[in-house]
Amino acid sequence: MKLLVTGGAGYVGSVCAAHLVDAGHDVTVLDDLSTGHKDAVPDGARFVEADLADAADAADDVLSDGFDGVLHFAAKSLVGESVQRPELYWNGNVVTSFRLLEAMRRHRTPRLVFSSTAATYGEPEQVPIREDAPTRPTNPYGASKLAIDHAIGSYAAAHGLAAVSLRYFNVAGAHGSFGERHAVETHLIPIVLQVASGTRDAVQVYGEDWPTPDGTCVRDYIHVDDLADAHLLALEHAQPGRHAVYNLGSGTGFSVREVVEACRAVTGHPIPAVAAPRRAGDPAVLIASSDAAKAALGWRPQRTDLATIVGDAWEFTRNRTP
Ligand code: UDP
Protein backbone atom coordinates (compact mmCIF):
# COMPACT_ATOMS: atom_id res chain seq x y z
CA MET A 1 0.00 0.00 0.00
CA LYS A 2 1.01 3.60 -0.51
CA LEU A 3 1.04 5.01 3.03
CA LEU A 4 1.56 8.32 4.76
CA VAL A 5 3.10 8.07 8.24
CA THR A 6 2.74 11.30 10.20
CA GLY A 7 5.22 11.58 13.05
CA GLY A 8 7.38 8.91 11.45
CA ALA A 9 10.58 10.49 12.79
CA GLY A 10 9.45 9.96 16.40
CA TYR A 11 9.80 6.89 18.61
CA VAL A 12 6.74 4.76 17.80
CA GLY A 13 6.29 6.30 14.34
CA SER A 14 9.83 5.48 13.23
CA VAL A 15 9.61 1.88 14.42
CA CYS A 16 6.27 1.41 12.64
CA ALA A 17 7.63 3.07 9.49
CA ALA A 18 10.58 0.64 9.55
CA HIS A 19 8.18 -2.33 9.86
CA LEU A 20 6.06 -0.98 7.00
CA VAL A 21 9.08 -0.54 4.72
CA ASP A 22 10.27 -4.06 5.59
CA ALA A 23 6.81 -5.41 4.72
CA GLY A 24 7.11 -3.87 1.24
CA HIS A 25 4.82 -0.84 1.63
CA ASP A 26 5.53 2.45 -0.14
CA VAL A 27 6.08 4.81 2.81
CA THR A 28 6.16 8.60 3.04
CA VAL A 29 7.01 10.09 6.43
CA LEU A 30 5.69 13.54 7.31
CA ASP A 31 7.24 15.07 10.43
CA ASP A 32 8.02 18.61 11.60
CA LEU A 33 11.05 17.37 13.57
CA SER A 34 9.84 19.27 16.65
CA THR A 35 10.47 16.19 18.76
CA GLY A 36 11.47 13.64 16.10
CA HIS A 37 14.86 13.08 14.48
CA LYS A 38 15.60 13.04 10.77
CA ASP A 39 17.98 10.09 11.15
CA ALA A 40 15.10 8.08 12.64
CA VAL A 41 13.29 8.07 9.28
CA PRO A 42 14.03 4.58 7.97
CA ASP A 43 15.94 4.00 4.76
CA GLY A 44 13.52 3.34 1.96
CA ALA A 45 10.92 5.88 3.19
CA ARG A 46 10.42 9.29 1.55
CA PHE A 47 10.62 12.21 3.96
CA VAL A 48 8.57 15.40 3.94
CA GLU A 49 9.46 17.97 6.61
CA ALA A 50 6.23 19.80 7.36
CA ASP A 51 4.02 20.84 10.25
CA LEU A 52 0.40 19.64 10.19
CA ALA A 53 -0.52 22.79 12.14
CA ASP A 54 0.61 25.09 9.31
CA ALA A 55 -2.15 27.01 7.64
CA ALA A 56 -0.48 26.04 4.32
CA ASP A 57 -2.02 22.62 4.93
CA ALA A 58 0.83 20.16 4.58
CA ALA A 59 -1.45 17.11 4.68
CA ASP A 60 -3.49 18.41 1.77
CA ASP A 61 -0.37 18.86 -0.37
CA VAL A 62 1.00 15.40 0.32
CA LEU A 63 -2.29 13.50 0.09
CA SER A 64 -3.16 15.07 -3.27
CA ASP A 65 -0.72 12.48 -4.67
CA GLY A 66 -3.19 9.68 -3.88
CA PHE A 67 -2.60 7.39 -0.87
CA ASP A 68 -4.13 4.10 0.30
CA GLY A 69 -3.89 5.03 3.94
CA VAL A 70 -2.51 7.16 6.75
CA LEU A 71 -0.92 6.11 10.03
CA HIS A 72 -1.23 9.14 12.28
CA PHE A 73 1.40 9.27 15.04
CA ALA A 74 2.27 12.99 15.00
CA ALA A 75 1.17 14.39 18.37
CA LYS A 76 2.10 16.10 21.58
CA SER A 77 2.27 13.41 24.25
CA LEU A 78 3.44 14.68 27.65
CA VAL A 79 0.81 14.47 30.37
CA GLY A 80 2.42 17.10 32.62
CA GLU A 81 2.93 19.57 29.79
CA SER A 82 -0.70 19.10 28.73
CA VAL A 83 -1.85 20.19 32.20
CA GLN A 84 0.39 23.29 32.16
CA ARG A 85 -0.20 24.26 28.52
CA PRO A 86 -3.46 22.70 27.29
CA GLU A 87 -3.54 25.00 24.26
CA LEU A 88 -0.60 23.07 22.80
CA TYR A 89 -2.67 19.88 22.98
CA TRP A 90 -5.97 21.21 21.63
CA ASN A 91 -4.13 22.79 18.73
CA GLY A 92 -1.27 20.32 18.26
CA ASN A 93 -3.46 17.22 18.55
CA VAL A 94 -7.10 18.09 17.87
CA VAL A 95 -6.84 20.88 15.27
CA THR A 96 -4.06 19.15 13.32
CA SER A 97 -5.93 15.83 13.30
CA PHE A 98 -9.07 17.57 12.07
CA ARG A 99 -7.04 19.11 9.22
CA LEU A 100 -5.68 15.68 8.39
CA LEU A 101 -9.17 14.13 8.40
CA GLU A 102 -10.42 16.88 6.10
CA ALA A 103 -7.49 16.41 3.71
CA MET A 104 -8.16 12.64 3.70
CA ARG A 105 -11.82 13.30 2.91
CA ARG A 106 -10.96 15.71 0.07
CA HIS A 107 -8.51 13.29 -1.50
CA ARG A 108 -10.57 10.15 -0.75
CA THR A 109 -7.83 8.47 1.31
CA PRO A 110 -9.63 5.33 2.41
CA ARG A 111 -7.82 4.11 5.61
CA LEU A 112 -6.62 5.54 8.89
CA VAL A 113 -4.77 3.96 11.81
CA PHE A 114 -4.57 6.35 14.76
CA SER A 115 -2.28 6.39 17.83
CA SER A 116 -4.67 6.66 20.71
CA THR A 117 -3.80 6.04 24.33
CA ALA A 118 -4.77 4.42 27.63
CA ALA A 119 -4.94 8.01 28.94
CA THR A 120 -8.40 8.23 27.31
CA TYR A 121 -9.74 6.03 30.14
CA GLY A 122 -8.39 7.96 33.15
CA GLU A 123 -8.54 6.28 36.56
CA PRO A 124 -9.84 2.74 35.88
CA GLU A 125 -12.74 1.23 37.82
CA GLN A 126 -11.61 -2.25 36.81
CA VAL A 127 -8.37 -3.81 35.58
CA PRO A 128 -7.60 -5.19 33.08
CA ILE A 129 -9.12 -2.29 31.15
CA ARG A 130 -11.39 -3.22 28.26
CA GLU A 131 -12.45 -1.00 25.39
CA ASP A 132 -15.96 -0.63 26.82
CA ALA A 133 -14.61 0.92 30.05
CA PRO A 134 -15.74 4.50 30.76
CA THR A 135 -13.56 7.17 29.12
CA ARG A 136 -12.89 9.87 31.69
CA PRO A 137 -9.44 11.28 30.93
CA THR A 138 -7.74 13.04 33.83
CA ASN A 139 -5.58 15.38 31.75
CA PRO A 140 -5.79 17.41 28.48
CA TYR A 141 -3.48 14.93 26.70
CA GLY A 142 -5.96 12.06 27.19
CA ALA A 143 -8.91 14.36 26.51
CA SER A 144 -7.39 15.56 23.23
CA LYS A 145 -6.80 11.97 22.04
CA LEU A 146 -10.35 11.01 23.04
CA ALA A 147 -11.75 13.98 21.10
CA ILE A 148 -9.88 12.76 18.01
CA ASP A 149 -11.23 9.23 18.51
CA HIS A 150 -14.74 10.71 18.53
CA ALA A 151 -14.03 12.72 15.37
CA ILE A 152 -12.68 9.64 13.61
CA GLY A 153 -15.78 7.65 14.60
CA SER A 154 -18.05 10.24 13.07
CA TYR A 155 -15.99 10.42 9.85
CA ALA A 156 -16.16 6.63 9.54
CA ALA A 157 -19.93 6.66 10.00
CA ALA A 158 -20.64 9.60 7.72
CA HIS A 159 -17.90 9.40 5.09
CA GLY A 160 -17.03 5.70 4.93
CA LEU A 161 -13.52 6.00 6.35
CA ALA A 162 -11.98 2.65 7.36
CA ALA A 163 -10.48 3.52 10.73
CA VAL A 164 -8.76 1.89 13.68
CA SER A 165 -7.71 3.62 16.88
CA LEU A 166 -5.05 1.77 18.85
CA ARG A 167 -4.90 2.66 22.54
CA TYR A 168 -1.36 2.14 23.73
CA PHE A 169 -0.41 1.31 27.29
CA ASN A 170 3.29 1.80 28.28
CA VAL A 171 5.34 1.47 25.12
CA ALA A 172 8.96 0.47 25.70
CA GLY A 173 11.89 -1.36 24.12
CA ALA A 174 13.57 -0.55 20.83
CA HIS A 175 13.89 -1.81 17.26
CA GLY A 176 17.64 -1.89 16.58
CA SER A 177 18.74 1.72 16.06
CA PHE A 178 15.15 3.03 16.41
CA GLY A 179 14.27 3.82 20.01
CA GLU A 180 13.16 6.36 22.54
CA ARG A 181 15.15 9.62 22.64
CA HIS A 182 13.30 12.58 24.03
CA ALA A 183 14.98 15.90 24.77
CA VAL A 184 13.39 15.85 28.22
CA GLU A 185 12.89 12.24 29.30
CA THR A 186 9.96 11.50 31.62
CA HIS A 187 9.42 7.77 31.02
CA LEU A 188 10.52 5.20 33.54
CA ILE A 189 12.57 2.69 31.51
CA PRO A 190 14.71 5.25 29.60
CA ILE A 191 15.32 7.14 32.86
CA VAL A 192 16.42 3.99 34.69
CA LEU A 193 18.72 3.11 31.79
CA GLN A 194 20.21 6.62 31.86
CA VAL A 195 21.29 5.83 35.42
CA ALA A 196 22.87 2.57 34.22
CA SER A 197 24.70 4.36 31.43
CA GLY A 198 26.01 7.06 33.79
CA THR A 199 24.09 10.07 32.47
CA ARG A 200 21.89 10.32 35.59
CA ASP A 201 22.75 9.62 39.26
CA ALA A 202 19.62 7.87 40.54
CA VAL A 203 16.02 7.10 39.67
CA GLN A 204 13.28 8.68 41.72
CA VAL A 205 10.46 6.31 42.62
CA TYR A 206 7.25 8.32 42.55
CA GLY A 207 5.44 6.99 45.59
CA GLU A 208 5.95 3.82 47.64
CA ASP A 209 2.58 3.87 49.39
CA TRP A 210 0.27 2.98 46.52
CA PRO A 211 -2.33 0.24 47.05
CA THR A 212 -0.22 -2.31 45.13
CA PRO A 213 1.73 -5.40 46.31
CA ASP A 214 5.04 -3.55 46.74
CA GLY A 215 3.63 -0.03 47.14
CA THR A 216 4.86 1.25 43.74
CA CYS A 217 2.73 1.88 40.64
CA VAL A 218 1.97 -0.98 38.28
CA ARG A 219 2.00 -0.54 34.50
CA ASP A 220 1.57 -2.72 31.42
CA TYR A 221 4.72 -2.45 29.29
CA ILE A 222 4.38 -3.34 25.61
CA HIS A 223 7.34 -3.86 23.30
CA VAL A 224 7.39 -1.33 20.47
CA ASP A 225 7.86 -4.15 17.91
CA ASP A 226 4.67 -5.85 19.14
CA LEU A 227 2.94 -2.49 18.86
CA ALA A 228 4.17 -2.10 15.28
CA ASP A 229 2.88 -5.59 14.40
CA ALA A 230 -0.58 -4.48 15.57
CA HIS A 231 -0.47 -1.44 13.27
CA LEU A 232 0.22 -3.57 10.21
CA LEU A 233 -2.64 -5.90 11.15
CA ALA A 234 -4.95 -2.94 11.80
CA LEU A 235 -4.26 -1.60 8.30
CA GLU A 236 -5.20 -4.96 6.78
CA HIS A 237 -8.36 -5.36 8.87
CA ALA A 238 -9.73 -1.80 8.62
CA GLN A 239 -13.22 -1.85 7.12
CA PRO A 240 -14.95 1.02 5.28
CA GLY A 241 -17.49 2.87 7.43
CA ARG A 242 -16.23 1.28 10.65
CA HIS A 243 -14.16 2.76 13.47
CA ALA A 244 -12.61 -0.01 15.56
CA VAL A 245 -10.89 0.72 18.87
CA TYR A 246 -8.38 -1.69 20.39
CA ASN A 247 -6.25 -1.60 23.53
CA LEU A 248 -2.65 -2.70 23.13
CA GLY A 249 -0.72 -3.97 26.11
CA SER A 250 1.01 -7.16 27.15
CA GLY A 251 -1.69 -7.92 29.72
CA THR A 252 0.78 -8.15 32.62
CA GLY A 253 1.51 -5.48 35.17
CA PHE A 254 4.99 -4.71 36.48
CA SER A 255 5.67 -2.39 39.41
CA VAL A 256 8.23 0.42 39.33
CA ARG A 257 10.40 -1.66 41.68
CA GLU A 258 10.16 -4.68 39.36
CA VAL A 259 11.21 -2.52 36.41
CA VAL A 260 14.23 -1.19 38.34
CA GLU A 261 15.16 -4.76 39.36
CA ALA A 262 14.88 -5.97 35.74
CA CYS A 263 17.13 -3.11 34.63
CA ARG A 264 19.68 -4.03 37.32
CA ALA A 265 19.67 -7.64 36.13
CA VAL A 266 20.02 -6.70 32.44
CA THR A 267 22.67 -4.01 32.86
CA GLY A 268 24.64 -5.37 35.85
CA HIS A 269 24.57 -1.82 37.27
CA PRO A 270 23.41 -1.17 40.89
CA ILE A 271 21.02 1.64 39.74
CA PRO A 272 20.40 3.67 42.91
CA ALA A 273 16.69 4.33 43.49
CA VAL A 274 15.39 7.00 45.87
CA ALA A 275 11.89 7.50 47.23
CA ALA A 276 10.08 10.57 45.91
CA PRO A 277 6.54 11.95 46.32
CA ARG A 278 3.74 10.62 44.14
CA ARG A 279 3.47 12.25 40.70
CA ALA A 280 0.21 14.12 40.16
CA GLY A 281 -2.26 12.33 37.92
CA ASP A 282 -0.69 8.84 38.20
CA PRO A 283 -3.22 6.02 38.62
CA ALA A 284 -2.00 3.15 40.86
CA VAL A 285 -2.51 0.37 38.31
CA LEU A 286 -2.96 0.37 34.52
CA ILE A 287 -3.22 -2.99 32.79
CA ALA A 288 -4.76 -3.58 29.36
CA SER A 289 -7.12 -6.24 28.24
CA SER A 290 -6.01 -6.80 24.65
CA ASP A 291 -8.47 -9.63 24.03
CA ALA A 292 -10.31 -7.58 21.40
CA ALA A 293 -7.13 -6.93 19.35
CA LYS A 294 -6.20 -10.59 19.61
CA ALA A 295 -9.64 -11.78 18.51
CA ALA A 296 -10.26 -9.25 15.72
CA LEU A 297 -6.75 -8.74 14.34
CA GLY A 298 -5.12 -12.06 15.22
CA TRP A 299 -2.49 -10.05 17.08
CA ARG A 300 -0.11 -12.02 19.30
CA PRO A 301 2.43 -10.02 21.31
CA GLN A 302 5.73 -11.92 21.16
CA ARG A 303 8.07 -9.93 23.42
CA THR A 304 6.12 -9.67 26.66
CA ASP A 305 8.79 -10.47 29.24
CA LEU A 306 10.38 -7.50 30.93
CA ALA A 307 13.93 -8.79 30.34
CA THR A 308 13.42 -8.70 26.55
CA ILE A 309 11.81 -5.25 26.61
CA VAL A 310 14.50 -3.78 28.86
CA GLY A 311 17.28 -5.68 27.04
CA ASP A 312 16.36 -4.14 23.68
CA ALA A 313 16.05 -0.66 25.21
CA TRP A 314 19.45 -1.14 26.89
CA GLU A 315 21.15 -2.15 23.64
CA PHE A 316 19.71 0.96 22.00
CA THR A 317 20.83 3.18 24.92
CA ARG A 318 24.35 1.72 24.98
CA ASN A 319 24.81 2.23 21.26
CA ARG A 320 23.82 5.90 21.59
CA THR A 321 25.72 6.78 24.78
CA PRO A 322 29.22 8.11 23.98
N1 UDP B 1 8.00 6.70 37.37
C1 UDP B 1 8.87 6.80 38.45
N2 UDP B 1 10.01 7.53 38.29
C2 UDP B 1 10.34 8.16 37.11
C3 UDP B 1 9.44 8.04 36.01
C4 UDP B 1 8.28 7.30 36.19
O1 UDP B 1 8.61 6.26 39.53
O2 UDP B 1 11.38 8.83 37.04
C5 UDP B 1 6.78 5.89 37.52
C6 UDP B 1 5.49 6.67 37.25
O3 UDP B 1 5.01 7.27 38.42
C7 UDP B 1 4.56 5.58 36.74
C8 UDP B 1 5.51 4.57 36.05
O4 UDP B 1 6.82 4.88 36.55
O5 UDP B 1 3.95 4.93 37.80
C9 UDP B 1 5.52 4.70 34.55
O6 UDP B 1 5.67 6.07 34.23
P1 UDP B 1 5.95 6.57 32.74
O7 UDP B 1 6.14 8.06 32.81
O8 UDP B 1 7.04 5.76 32.12
O9 UDP B 1 4.61 6.21 31.96
P2 UDP B 1 3.07 6.57 32.25
O10 UDP B 1 2.50 5.40 32.99
O11 UDP B 1 3.01 7.86 33.01
O12 UDP B 1 2.51 6.69 30.87
Side-chain angles (χ1 to χ4, degrees):
M1 283 189 237
K2 184 172 172 184
L3 300 169
L4 178 65
V5 178
T6 74
Y11 171 40
V12 177
S14 66
V15 173
C16 287
H19 279 247
L20 291 167
V21 168
D22 287 349
H25 294 289
D26 175 351
V27 175
T28 299
V29 165
L30 186 152
D31 200 297
D32 65 358
L33 300 182
S34 58
T35 53
H37 307 272
K38 190 157 182 216
D39 63 2
V41 177
D43 289 343
R46 259 184 307 281
F47 177 58
V48 177
E49 184 175 343
D51 182 352
L52 287 172
D54 272 352
D57 222 334
D60 201 61
D61 268 5
V62 176
L63 289 175
S64 64
D65 244 13
F67 278 76
D68 299 307
V70 175
L71 294 99
H72 181 34
F73 299 96
K76 314 271 312 160
S77 61
L78 297 178
V79 168
E81 182 184 62
S82 80
V83 174
Q84 305 299 325
R85 302 186 63 194
E87 63 279 9
L88 295 181
Y89 285 72
W90 294 110
N91 187 50
N93 290 353
V94 178
V95 175
T96 54
S97 297
F98 169 66
R99 287 222 174 110
L100 177 65
L101 281 169
E102 277 296 276
M104 291 179 69
R105 182 159 76 98
R106 270 195 297 277
H107 299 295
R108 301 182 195 287
T109 315
R111 279 177 209 84
L112 174 66
V113 178
F114 175 59
S115 291
S116 189
T117 168
T120 53
Y121 296 111
E123 187 76 46
E125 279 169 10
Q126 284 184 337
V127 286
I129 301 172
R130 292 169 19 142
E131 291 79 358
D132 57 4
T135 42
R136 291 189 291 243
T138 51
N139 52 65
Y141 166 62
S144 70
K145 289 281 187 172
L146 182 60
I148 300 162
D149 278 342
H150 284 310
I152 293 170
S154 61
Y155 271 64
H159 304 309
L161 183 67
V164 182
S165 287
L166 299 175
R167 293 192 171 153
Y168 311 164
F169 282 64
N170 287 63
V171 188
H175 175 77
S177 60
F178 303 100
E180 209 167 351
R181 41 184 173 133
H182 299 118
V184 180
E185 193 51 73
T186 62
H187 292 121
L188 180 64
I189 291 176
I191 284 179
V192 176
L193 294 178
Q194 284 176 356
V195 180
S197 66
T199 54
R200 191 184 283 261
D201 291 337
V203 56
Q204 296 191 310
V205 177
Y206 297 149
E208 297 184 312
D209 56 352
W210 295 92
T212 60
D214 70 13
T216 66
C217 284
V218 170
R219 293 289 181 275
D220 182 338
Y221 295 89
I222 172 171
H223 195 294
V224 68
D225 279 328
D226 285 335
L227 195 76
D229 289 344
H231 286 73
L232 272 74
L233 290 166
L235 259 183
E236 281 170 29
H237 285 80
Q239 290 168 24
R242 177 153 185 255
H243 177 219
V245 178
Y246 300 116
N247 291 341
L248 296 178
S250 299
T252 311
F254 294 103
S255 71
V256 173
R257 260 197 226 293
E258 286 173 318
V259 169
V260 174
E261 269 312 318
C263 292
R264 286 177 180 142
V266 164
T267 64
H269 191 282
I271 309 184
V274 295
R278 290 183 176 192
R279 185 171 68 177
D282 268 345
V285 180
L286 286 177
I287 300 173
S289 162
S290 299
D291 291 349
K294 288 175 184 163
L297 305 177
W299 180 62
R300 297 282 174 272
Q302 307 283 330
R303 306 138 182 113
T304 53
D305 64 299
L306 205 47
T308 303
I309 295 174
V310 167
D312 288 353
W314 177 231
E315 193 168 316
F316 170 79
T317 305
R318 259 196 319 189
N319 288 337
R320 296 204 62 83
T321 310

